[in-house]
Amino acid sequence: MSAQPPGTASPARFVAVVPVKPPAFGKSRLGGLGDDQRRRLAAAFALDTAAACLAARAVGAVLVATDDAGFAARLAALGCVAVPDGDTNDLNSALRQAASEARRRWPDLEPVALCADLPALRCEDLDEALDALVPGGPSFVADADGVGTTLYTAPHGEFDPRFGGGSREAHLAAGALEVRGALPTLRRDVDDLDDLRAAAVLGLGSRTAPLVQELGLA
């Protein structure tokens, strides 16, 4: 897939759909940290991810699905639309429901699902990936390890994400096209402390960076 020429402007044509676990239950694999530290990091990751989506040229709206009412208010203050998580037991089902709500609110915008644990995400990488899409079908971006998925998009009628273990292969098997290119900050999701250190090398967002410094993790 080839991106548009540098400097080519395009109208916002996507709605970012971001599922967010209540921060109290997020990032259980950040070993060696207390519950409050994990909660604060999970919240910062999600806020920085959402902020990067809001700043992306190709994104016209950000819809976050979360069951944490207090955190939903923080996301709304940032500029997102927050709705309840439709299915806390099944991420892909929750994403499909959130995409349906996005279609009701913004019928002209195509849904693009992103993980909420991309604290180094830069809007330039997100725009590059979205500019590179072949219209009319599902596409995805693999994570830095080449096993999982950090972004999935498809027209509403074909929106059928396969997040979970081995999701890169699952998306390929379902006929989705893989977006190539470096896209380092879009691929760098954070599940554990090694991931967080790798993200810090790329440059963390404005909410995660000072927290990482405060907790002595960088």
Side-chain angles (χ1 to χ4, degrees), residues 11-203:
R13 56 192 183 94
F14 294 93
V15 50
V17 178
V18 184
V20 179
K21 289 182 181 180
F25 301 104
K27 298 294 107 186
S28 60
R29 290 168 57 188
L30 288 172
L33 300 179
D35 290 342
D36 181 66
Q37 293 172 323
R38 287 197 299 269
R39 177 189 60 78
R40 293 171 66 196
L41 282 169
F45 293 175
L47 289 167
D48 280 335
T49 301
C53 291
L54 288 165
R57 165 182 41 78
V59 175
V62 177
L63 185 144
V64 178
T66 183
D67 283 337
D68 186 316
F71 192 57
R74 295 178 66 185
L75 290 158
L78 194 65
C80 304
V81 172
V83 298
D85 187 341
D87 189 341
T88 56
N89 297 315
D90 186 331
L91 172 59
N92 294 309
S93 174
L95 281 170
R96 288 191 292 269
Q97 292 181 52
S100 294
E101 176 63 16
R103 185 177 194 178
R104 186 184 71 82
R105 292 172 180 261
W106 305 283
D108 296 330
L109 298 180
E110 187 170 312
V112 53
L114 289 101
C115 298
D117 56 359
L118 301 169
L121 180 62
R122 296 291 177 266
C123 60
E124 294 84 1
D125 276 357
L126 180 53
D127 277 326
E128 181 181 340
L130 296 177
D131 286 346
L133 298 177
V134 174
S139 299
F140 72 97
V141 173
D143 64 12
D145 296 328
V147 176
T149 301
T150 61
L151 177 153
Y152 170 86
T153 185
H156 282 287
E158 301 178 53
F159 190 83
D160 188 21
R162 308 292 176 94
F163 285 93
S167 60
R168 176 180 178 271
E169 290 299 325
H171 283 127
L172 286 171
L177 299 178
E178 184 170 2
V179 179
R180 304 293 182 178
L183 309 173
T185 69
L186 178 55
R187 298 187 188 279
R188 183 69 278 166
D189 57 341
V190 173
D191 288 323
D192 56 34
L193 289 178
D194 286 340
D195 293 340
L196 182 55
R197 295 183 186 102
V201 172
L202 297 172

